[in-house]
């Protein structure tokens, strides 16, 4: 090679630094659920206008009490439980106003969205869960013509009926001994007997809807005889 020729220097190519892409703005997580009725329920700010009894009945009939840890071919649904609680409340308080019987039927209606959480788990979740549940319960009450909050005496009555139903469920379906059930739930009201036969979801749903329509009519201050019938 002729040393007289100028040496050509080659520029070393360097990789072009890539401009970092801006991350897409984080979208807020979806906080609503679409129901079979077509309603879209905002779970954080539930509106009474987005709540339908058909959605509640459908959901509750497919939510199992005791996390499904019960005997029998079918789970004991929250829908069937709710019908029994309404009946027990009327047994404890004969002549109970139909609107409060309706409140008893709807006492677990929020579980069509949040499921049936066992009491220990609710306690572990703490106050935030309770506040969320209360907002949903308030919207449900308003949707069906009930006061946003039930009077303290009615809440105590419904809780007593709820615990009585749990006593029968525990001893007949969930493997609790009589002594255990009494320790957790107390004795059921005197004169009330119940033999539980868990229903298929479609039957539990229909039973819940039928009871709702009877009580809703009666709670409109037209006191129909059917509203005071018990199962």
């Amino acid at each position: 090679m002729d040393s007289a020729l100028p040496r050509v220097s080659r520029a070393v190519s360097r990789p072009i630094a890539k401009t970092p892409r801006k991350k897409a703005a984080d979208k807020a997580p979806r906080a609503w659920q679409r129901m079979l009725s077509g309603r879209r329920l905002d779970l954080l700010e539930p509106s009474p206008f987005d709540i339908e009894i058909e959605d509640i009945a459908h959901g509750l009939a497919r939510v199992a009490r005791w996390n499904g840890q019960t005997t029998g071919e079918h789970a004991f649904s929250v829908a069937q439980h709710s019908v029994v609680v309404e009946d027990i409340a009327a047994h404890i308080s004969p002549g109970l106003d139909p609107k409060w019987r309706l409140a008893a039927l709807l006492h677990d209606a929020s579980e069509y969205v949040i499921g049936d959480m066992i009491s220990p788990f609710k306690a572990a979740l703490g106050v935030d869960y309770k506040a969320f549940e209360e907002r949903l319960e308030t919207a449900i009450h308003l949707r069906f013509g009930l006061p946003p909050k039930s009077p303290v005496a009615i809440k105590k009555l419904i809780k007593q009926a709820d615990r009585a139903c749990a006593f029968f469920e525990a001893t007949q379906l969930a493997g609790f001994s009589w002594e255990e059930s009494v320790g957790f739930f107390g004795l059921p009201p005197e004169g009330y007997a119940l033999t539980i036969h868990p229903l298929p979801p479609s039957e539990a749903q229909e039973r819940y809807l039928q009871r709702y329509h009877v009580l809703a009519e009666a709670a409109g201050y037209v006191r129909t005889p059917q509203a005071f019938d018990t199962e």
Side-chain angles (χ1 to χ4, degrees), residues 25-221:
D26 292 335
K27 294 182 179 179
R30 178 169 65 88
W32 54 266
Q33 180 174 345
R34 189 183 303 281
M35 302 298 170
L36 289 179
S37 65
R39 296 290 189 185
R40 196 166 75 171
L41 181 66
D42 186 326
L43 304 181
L44 300 180
E45 296 295 337
S47 167
F49 296 107
D50 294 324
I51 295 170
E52 301 293 345
I53 193 62
E54 291 79 10
D55 292 328
I56 291 174
H58 181 92
L60 296 186
R62 290 158 179 81
V63 175
R65 295 274 293 168
W66 306 92
N67 282 339
Q69 298 299 307
T70 51
T71 59
E73 182 179 356
H74 303 290
F76 187 64
S77 71
V78 175
Q80 189 174 355
H81 162 83
S82 298
V83 172
V84 175
V85 168
E86 183 258 318
D87 187 53
I88 296 175
H91 173 85
I92 297 171
S93 181
L96 183 64
D97 191 297
K99 73 179 179 182
W100 301 131
R101 293 185 69 159
L102 179 59
L105 183 73
L106 295 170
H107 80 283
D108 278 340
S110 62
E111 293 179 8
Y112 88 111
V113 172
I114 59 180
D116 181 36
M117 294 187 183
I118 59 175
S119 296
F121 193 42
K122 286 183 180 180
L125 289 175
V127 68
D128 287 343
Y129 169 82
K130 191 64 180 174
F132 170 76
E133 184 179 41
E134 286 178 354
R135 283 197 298 272
L136 187 51
E137 288 175 349
T138 295
I140 290 168
H141 271 217
L142 292 174
R143 172 64 179 85
F144 299 114
L146 295 169
K149 304 291 182 186
S150 296
V152 173
I154 296 300
K155 283 187 176 181
K156 288 182 177 179
L157 171 63
I158 294 173
K159 187 64 178 178
Q160 183 183 356
D162 189 40
R163 289 170 63 84
C165 189
F167 170 89
F168 291 113
E169 295 169 26
T171 54
Q172 296 180 33
L173 302 176
F176 285 59
S177 69
W178 189 89
E179 291 78 11
E180 283 180 310
S181 295
V182 170
F184 283 116
F185 309 111
L187 286 169
E190 186 177 351
Y192 192 90
L194 175 67
T195 301
I196 300 175
H197 300 288
L199 298 172
S202 59
E203 291 184 30
Q205 178 177 343
E206 185 60 28
R207 185 81 63 89
Y208 187 92
L209 278 173
Q210 287 174 349
R211 199 65 193 143
Y212 164 78
H213 287 300
V214 169
L215 293 171
E217 180 181 355
Y221 308 108

